[in-house]
Amino acid sequence: MHMYDGGWMWPMWGMMMLFWLGLAALVVWLPVRFAKPHSSGPGGDDLAAARRILAERYARGELDHDEYNQRLENLSRPRS
């Protein structure tokens, strides 16, 4: 008697397909889940960080009022 004659062939094929589909989904999902977003330039997070650093320097007295305002204005200008 053959091993596949007992009707186990189709359920085994189905289980094997589910295994490979699950493995493929995992291989695609893991890099997407843990990849860091790439920024092409100074975006919202970079600009906020730069403004925070500038405010900290102003608070420590490293920059005077005019220099702080000038640098803040330079940060707000769009880059070309």
Side-chain angles (χ1 to χ4, degrees), residues 30-48:
L30 281 175
V32 170
R33 173 72 172 95
F34 294 107
K36 292 183 179 179
H38 300 294
S39 63
S40 59
D45 291 338
D46 294 337
L47 189 57

Side-chain angles (χ1 to χ4, degrees), residues 2 4 11 19 22 24-25 27 30 43 46 48 52 58 60 66-68:
H2 294 281
Y4 296 114
F19 169 77
V27 165
L30 281 175
D46 294 337
R52 186 176 61 248
Y58 179 64
R60 285 192 301 259
D66 293 331
E67 189 175 5
Y68 171 75

Side-chain angles (χ1 to χ4, degrees), residues 2-3 12 16-17 20 29 45 48 53 59 69:
H2 294 281
M3 185 166 84
M12 292 302 285
M16 195 59 125
M17 284 299 276
W20 287 113
W29 177 76
D45 291 338
I53 292 169
N69 284 331

